[in-house]
Amino acid sequence: MDLLSSRCKIQITMSKWIIITMTMMMTIGESMRLDLESGITKCISDDIKLNYMTVGNYSIVNPNEALHLPASHKIYVTVTSPKGHSQHHAENVESGKFVFTAMENGDYTTCFVAPGFRPSAKFAVDFEWKSGVEAKDWATIAKRGQINMLEVEVRKLLDVTESVHDEMFQLRERESEMQELNRSTNSRMAALSLLSLVFTLLVAGIQVWHLKSFLERKKLL
């Protein structure tokens, strides 16, 4: 009995460590700091799957919190879908947030535009972009469902598993598309090669006939 209980404790401990490790991996978002200058535009793209929720937070870094940011430290922010549809637009702001569910599959682009000022100003923007499982507000979900943190971690793992499962199916679809494209390309190349060979033989035959006719007219044959 002691041996069995010890094994159970070890398995539970290992499970907790796995959950903690997965949680730490999932909490790592697309957080970054961008350096902007007056009149400069910087864009960032993220591949977001269909029906995935995405959350973005951005704010200008204030080097001196005791002072208000000058007018030169304002930005224009736009978020566009792969087909060019606007998902977020903000003008002359110091900070902001966007939340939306992807209606298209592909690269979504966030652009930060610093208005032109003379003399030019340089400043930094903190930007955090999360999508899919990372974008969910797990604390709110836990409060609404009145569940403990272990159950929350299990739900996170289930969502990650589903996300990986969907990703694998998408990779299979892409692989099938690439194989079909390769087969189509090989068929076209084979047809083109055959056509080139026929055309080459035809030109060679015409040249031989023309040379033979020329030599016969000159009575050399």
Side-chain angles (χ1 to χ4, degrees), residues 48-61:
I48 302 176
K49 303 299 183 293
L50 183 67
N51 295 326
Y52 271 27
M53 185 176 73
T54 183
V55 178
N57 290 282
Y58 54 88
S59 61
I60 297 175
V61 179

Side-chain angles (χ1 to χ4, degrees), residues 44-196:
I44 299 171
S45 296
D46 189 17
D47 185 13
I48 302 176
K49 303 299 183 293
L50 183 67
N51 295 326
Y52 271 27
M53 185 176 73
T54 183
V55 178
N57 290 282
Y58 54 88
S59 61
I60 297 175
V61 179
N62 190 349
N64 190 349
E65 296 182 357
L67 300 176
H68 291 292
L69 288 170
S72 59
H73 288 53
K74 306 281 183 157
I75 54 175
Y76 293 76
V77 184
T78 59
V79 183
T80 54
S81 70
K83 295 182 179 179
H85 299 135
S86 177
Q87 301 294 328
H88 176 74
H89 180 78
E91 297 183 0
N92 202 30
V93 295
E94 299 176 5
S95 62
K97 178 179 182 180
F98 57 83
V99 181
F100 62 88
T101 301
M103 303 302 293
E104 302 169 16
N105 222 350
D107 289 332
Y108 285 74
T109 304
T110 301
C111 290
F112 298 90
V113 183
F117 276 89
R118 290 290 180 270
S120 62
K122 295 182 179 180
F123 54 93
V125 178
D126 281 339
F127 181 43
E128 185 178 23
W129 198 355
K130 297 180 179 180
S131 61
V133 179
E134 295 176 352
K136 289 188 177 181
D137 188 355
W138 292 103
T140 303
I141 293 174
K143 290 179 181 178
R144 288 178 181 175
Q146 295 181 351
I147 57 180
N148 58 41
M149 290 307 298
L150 183 60
E151 291 175 326
V152 171
E153 306 306 335
V154 172
R155 288 193 180 186
K156 286 184 182 180
L157 291 176
L158 289 175
D159 279 0
V160 170
T161 303
E162 291 179 0
S163 176
V164 172
H165 185 264
D166 293 340
E167 187 73 23
M168 289 178 64
F169 270 102
Q170 290 179 358
L171 289 175
R172 286 183 180 179
E173 290 178 359
R174 291 181 181 179
E175 183 182 3
S176 299
E177 292 176 358
M178 289 300 298
Q179 290 178 351
E180 183 63 29
L181 179 61
N182 288 336
R183 284 193 290 267
S184 177
T185 303
N186 290 336
S187 299
R188 292 179 181 179
M189 289 300 297
L192 182 61
S193 300
L194 180 61
L195 181 62
S196 300

